[in-house]
Amino acid sequence: MTSAMTVTGVCNMALDILHEGPISSIEDDEPNARRFKRNFDALRDAFLAAHPWNFAVSRVSLPADATAPAFGWDYRYLIPGDCLRLLPLKCDGEFDGANIPHELESGFLLTDEKAPLKIRYVRRVSELGLWTPLSVTAFAAFLAANLAHAVTGKASYAQFAADRFQSELKRAKRVDGLQGSLERADTNDVIAVRG
């Protein structure tokens, strides 16, 4: 993992993509540092939520909440506070288990499935040292793509950064996907595609 990577370091990687000078710290009172500080956390979470990165996937067994839903479902479960995206809900949390019908509502997961409910989700990983090197470079390109126009004032740099992000993302996802077994498509998913 990239243990030495810092928030300022990732911002400087993004600035390098945009051919801009580095910042000393994201805490500095200068325009680019303020831009990155204002947007960093939201863009980090958006980047993480867009793909089930191996380093960001977590699993947990949830107890049922003391209050049942008013109607429609038998149980509700409090979604973990660091959850950015719930992964497909499967019976007993099994890799190839059947899908469990559910709804997300106001920070709760509603379902008829009894406790404990086993879930997998993409979590917020704020410590960059836990990220893979390729995910860091893809995220730096994502920052550059999102802040290119504000930082450079040039539309051509925004397009260049967007193209660079797509290239870095493709590479990072490919390598991330090669680690572990591929999840098999649910039979119902295959039928739905055919229909």
Side-chain angles (χ1 to χ4, degrees), residues 33-49:
R34 288 194 306 268
R35 280 185 191 97
F36 280 102
K37 184 175 182 178
R38 236 184 354 257
N39 293 282
F40 191 89
D41 289 348
L43 290 174
R44 178 203 60 217
D45 289 355
F47 178 83
L48 288 170

Side-chain angles (χ1 to χ4, degrees), residues 153-175:
K154 299 174 185 171
S156 61
Y157 276 77
Q159 186 58 54
F160 169 77
D163 292 345
R164 173 78 179 264
F165 166 61
Q166 289 304 319
S167 172
E168 294 287 347
L169 180 65
K170 183 177 179 181
R171 183 173 61 150
K173 281 179 157 182
R174 185 176 59 244
V175 172

Side-chain angles (χ1 to χ4, degrees), residues 97-116:
N99 288 329
I100 297 174
H102 65 282
E103 253 182 281
L104 299 180
E105 184 177 277
S106 301
F108 288 93
L109 189 155
L110 311 179
T111 184
D112 291 333
E113 193 74 13
K114 293 181 181 179

Side-chain angles (χ1 to χ4, degrees), residues 4 6 9-10 34 45 58 68 87 93-95 97 104 109 118 133 171:
T6 65
V10 173
R34 288 194 306 268
D45 289 355
S58 190
L87 294 176
E94 295 292 329
F95 188 70
L104 299 180
L109 189 155
K118 296 175 181 175
R171 183 173 61 150

Side-chain angles (χ1 to χ4, degrees), residues 39 60 98 121 125 134 152 173 183:
N39 293 282
V60 67
Y121 66 97
V125 181
L134 291 176
T152 68
K173 281 179 157 182
E183 192 164 349

Side-chain angles (χ1 to χ4, degrees), residues 2 5 27 36 45-46 71 91 117 137 167 176 183 187 189:
T2 54
M5 188 50 62
E27 301 299 328
F36 280 102
D45 289 355
F71 59 88
C91 285
L117 182 65
T137 58
S167 172
D176 194 66
E183 192 164 349
T187 305
D189 294 339

Side-chain angles (χ1 to χ4, degrees), residues 16-190:
D16 285 346
I17 291 168
L18 299 174
H19 303 279
E20 293 286 325
I23 57 175
S24 299
S25 169
I26 196 170
E27 301 299 328
D28 286 351
D29 188 22
E30 65 97 4
N32 284 339
R34 288 194 306 268
R35 280 185 191 97
F36 280 102
K37 184 175 182 178
R38 236 184 354 257
N39 293 282
F40 191 89
D41 289 348
L43 290 174
R44 178 203 60 217
D45 289 355
F47 178 83
L48 288 170
H51 178 73
W53 301 102
N54 292 320
F55 69 88
V57 172
S58 190
R59 61 182 68 219
V60 67
S61 292
L62 300 176
D65 192 67
T67 306
F71 59 88
W73 300 99
D74 293 336
Y75 303 98
R76 78 176 191 170
Y77 299 87
L78 182 63
I79 297 171
D82 63 349
C83 179
L84 298 175
R85 173 181 163 198
L86 184 67
L87 294 176
L89 201 55
K90 304 284 190 169
C91 285
D92 294 322
E94 295 292 329
F95 188 70
D96 57 356
N99 288 329
I100 297 174
H102 65 282
E103 253 182 281
L104 299 180
E105 184 177 277
S106 301
F108 288 93
L109 189 155
L110 311 179
T111 184
D112 291 333
E113 193 74 13
K114 293 181 181 179
L117 182 65
K118 296 175 181 175
I119 67 165
R120 293 175 64 238
Y121 66 97
V122 177
R123 68 184 173 94
R124 177 179 297 108
V125 181
S126 55
E127 184 174 329
L128 294 167
L130 300 176
W131 291 43
T132 61
L134 291 176
S135 64
V136 171
T137 58
F139 176 53
F142 183 66
L143 284 173
N146 278 277
L147 298 175
H149 197 269
V151 169
T152 68
K154 299 174 185 171
S156 61
Y157 276 77
Q159 186 58 54
F160 169 77
D163 292 345
R164 173 78 179 264
F165 166 61
Q166 289 304 319
S167 172
E168 294 287 347
L169 180 65
K170 183 177 179 181
R171 183 173 61 150
K173 281 179 157 182
R174 185 176 59 244
V175 172
D176 194 66
L178 291 173
Q179 300 175 30
S181 299
L182 296 177
E183 192 164 349
R184 288 180 276 180
D186 186 285
T187 305
N188 294 329
D189 294 339
V190 174

